[in-house]
Amino acid sequence: MPFQGDIGGGTRVRKSAFELTPIEVDKLRQAFAALRKLSVTDPADPRGWLQQANVHCWNCGGGGASVENIHGNYWFLPWHRAYLYFFEKILGKLVGDPDLALPYWDWDTRGRNVMPPPYVIPGDGSNSLFDPYRGVVAWQAMPASATSAEEMKRLLSLRDWASFMGGPAGSRRPGALEFGTHNRVHQWITDPGGRANCGVQDMGIFSTAGQDPIFFAHHANVDRLWDVWRSLGGEQRLPADAEFRQRTWTFYDENKRWVSISTDQILNNAGSLRYEYRRPSLVGRMDHGIAASHPLTGAVTPAPSKSVAQAPGAAQLLTSEPQTVSAPVLVSAELALFGAAPPSLEPTVRRLHIDGVALPPGGSTTVRVFVNLPDADERTPPSGPNYVGAFTVIPHHGSGHADVTRQDVAFELSAETEQVVPGVGAILVRLVPLAGEDMRPLGLTLEYQNVYVATE
Ligand code: C2O
């Protein structure tokens, strides 16, 4: 049946997981416990814990080729919003509280780059928010660069929906929120050192990620940041194509009804879904708007060296060593050479593309990207005009699976970086594999194809 709008209860207020009252923590734990129990007492109930986790798995490749993947393109944000909506309603139903709201983990607030305490303390089966398949422990801090004020500012300054949300349906191009901090947090939770180069159950692999309760707090924050970014821009921050607006997704609701909901119906969460985010109320808040001017690490624009030639289309291998490649700066007419669609509107932004990124099945890693800084390595600070951003690759399935998911990663050039990238010619792109904050990963074999800058 088609979604009729949210009914039952008032507006659900999602709060930071760091700001829950003891009573709210209790209620949340009861709800997750009820969900887990339902999965045991009635495995066929579509609202149970494993069934719900498998909804995520099904849509990330587990459903086979006929099910469109909701990672790696602009479906990522709307689909996860709908998933969380129905999940939240089910939690509330199981404890008889229609106002129960999912908390969000605001890793972007200063000091909150640690797991929210209710999810890790106590760290055993008595806590329904705990999950044994994690590498992190209570109070362990995420690498500062993953969620730094500068990183958030970079993310929220993106001008174009394709940069932030991902490429259109059918593309394999994740948006910066997905391939950046979102993936990094998934990876960090199971492999905090980043040395394993493989996804680890649960959060580290998309097919099992929904089996860790922190998934839902992590994604509530991703969902919140989508709203923050939209509020900074307006309607042009949404894809205008009818396919985006009208696409429907189907979920079981809290009454086990099979409900289809369209993207249009979920865009206004306060209205049609009746939930909203309460801003983090403590010290940190979001730093992005007020980020102080950061130290610039020497902006240099060396002439591309002859020794790093690269033919379009050639597959390249990135191992644990940082690597420099020469990338052409294309004008629009040249895009077709690389199989990219020519821009349909006025060219608005330039992006640095790294196409065809792939790891062996089950593989996972983070790579920092610099332009015209050929000496950059894992100790080079991720800031300044020459730093373009970082991407993290997370496997869709464990290593038993044969499939390799290729992705196209594209970084919108910031106004600052524009200054060090010429209008035509070529640039040097420095790829720096990263484990933790400033270490090289071990035994990495990442494949990628074309690297180029394009105006779109
Ligand atoms: Cu569907 Cu965080 O992934």
Side-chain angles (χ1 to χ4, degrees):
M1 59 182 268
F3 181 65
Q4 310 284 0
D6 183 75
I7 29 175
T11 293
R12 298 179 306 288
V13 180
R14 295 184 180 176
K15 297 166 62 175
S16 166
F18 288 81
E19 295 174 24
L20 300 176
T21 64
I23 291 171
E24 288 166 335
V25 171
D26 243 33
K27 182 58 84 54
L28 192 68
R29 287 194 171 139
Q30 280 170 32
F32 273 86
L35 204 66
R36 291 179 185 275
K37 187 163 165 231
L38 183 58
S39 202
V40 177
T41 55
D42 185 1
D45 191 314
R47 302 169 304 177
W49 175 238
L50 282 178
Q51 292 261 4
Q52 282 295 307
N54 285 337
V55 170
H56 186 252
C57 176
W58 182 258
N59 288 279
C60 79
S66 61
V67 180
E68 196 171 2
N69 198 314
I70 45 77
H71 300 101
N73 54 47
Y74 68 19
W75 298 131
F76 174 72
L77 289 166
W79 185 87
H80 285 81
R81 170 169 292 186
Y83 177 44
L84 259 61
Y85 168 78
F86 289 105
F87 184 83
E88 183 177 68
K89 295 291 283 187
I90 289 168
L91 281 180
K93 175 86 181 187
L94 293 183
V95 289
D97 179 0
D99 293 331
L100 184 114
L102 284 169
Y104 61 86
W105 171 18
D106 48 331
W107 24 252
D108 51 305
T109 297
R110 196 182 306 129
R112 294 184 179 172
N113 58 342
V114 296
M115 293 278 283
Y119 291 80
V120 274
I121 304 168
D124 57 44
S126 70
N127 180 0
S128 63
L129 301 176
F130 179 74
D131 182 76
Y133 296 100
R134 292 177 187 155
V136 293
V137 294
W139 308 117
Q140 186 169 355
M142 208 181 301
S145 67
T147 58
S148 65
E150 163 141 12
E151 193 58 36
M152 290 302 119
K153 184 177 173 217
R154 181 185 311 281
L155 176 70
L156 294 170
S157 307
L158 295 172
R159 288 158 291 170
D160 186 70
W161 60 259
S163 302
F164 188 90
M165 299 180 62
S171 73
R172 54 177 193 185
R173 191 213 281 185
L177 177 55
E178 181 184 347
F179 73 62
T181 305
H182 161 263
N183 281 1
R184 187 99 186 259
V185 171
H186 271 276
Q187 181 197 37
W188 175 76
I189 287 173
T190 52
D191 179 19
R195 306 279 282 184
N197 294 322
C198 62
V200 186
Q201 202 181 340
D202 288 333
M203 277 291 273
I205 304 178
F206 283 147
S207 60
T208 55
Q211 294 183 39
D212 186 335
I214 197 65
F215 175 96
F216 300 93
H218 175 42
H219 270 275
N221 201 44
V222 166
D223 187 63
R224 183 179 69 94
L225 289 175
W226 182 24
D227 274 1
V228 170
W229 180 75
R230 273 175 67 193
S231 72
L232 298 171
E235 277 308 291
Q236 72 276 24
R237 299 220 153 173
L238 286 175
D241 56 297
E243 180 172 13
F244 179 77
R245 296 296 187 117
Q246 285 154 25
R247 176 74 152 91
T248 57
W249 307 97
T250 318
F251 295 87
Y252 281 104
D253 74 359
E254 70 275 22
N255 296 311
K256 299 198 255 188
R257 289 175 308 205
W258 186 233
V259 175
S260 66
I261 190 165
S262 68
T263 309
D264 246 346
Q265 288 175 306
I266 58 109
L267 289 176
N268 172 2
N269 53 25
S272 57
L273 302 183
R274 290 209 298 170
Y275 74 84
E276 61 189 33
Y277 290 102
R278 177 179 298 169
R279 292 185 59 177
S281 68
L282 294 183
V283 281
R285 291 269 175 114
M286 295 190 57
D287 292 335
H288 59 87
I290 48 154
S293 60
H294 41 75
L296 305 185
T297 49
V300 287
T301 315
S305 115
K306 292 270 186 295
S307 61
V308 284
Q310 183 212 2
Q316 315 266 335
L317 198 64
L318 178 70
T319 63
S320 304
E321 299 281 311
Q323 188 180 87
T324 305
V325 291
S326 174
V329 176
L330 306 178
V331 296
S332 320
E334 293 171 319
L335 278 176
L337 284 177
F338 291 82
S344 49
L345 302 166
E346 284 295 294
T348 46
V349 296
R350 286 207 297 176
R351 296 191 184 92
L352 168 64
H353 292 256
I354 305 171
D355 283 353
V357 171
L359 281 168
S364 163
T365 195
T366 296
V367 178
R368 279 189 186 143
V369 182
F370 298 83
V371 294
N372 292 334
L373 202 61
D375 295 328
D377 66 13
E378 61 281 0
R379 289 176 306 274
T380 307
S383 60
N386 299 88
Y387 176 61
V388 171
F391 65 89
T392 298
V393 184
I394 294 293
H396 286 62
H397 301 281
S399 50
H401 246 261
D403 76 314
V404 170
T405 314
R406 267 187 203 282
Q407 305 189 337
D408 301 334
V409 177
F411 296 94
E412 185 180 305
L413 301 186
S414 67
E416 213 186 356
T417 301
E418 280 286 356
Q419 321 257 324
V420 298
V421 175
V424 289
I427 54 165
L428 295 180
V429 174
R430 183 71 165 167
L431 302 172
V432 180
L434 190 72
E437 183 67 342
D438 55 9
M439 278 187 310
R440 288 183 189 183
L442 301 168
L444 178 69
T445 53
L446 179 140
E447 216 182 87
Y448 62 97
Q449 293 160 334
N450 301 316
V451 182
Y452 56 97
V453 172
T455 304
E456 295 161 296

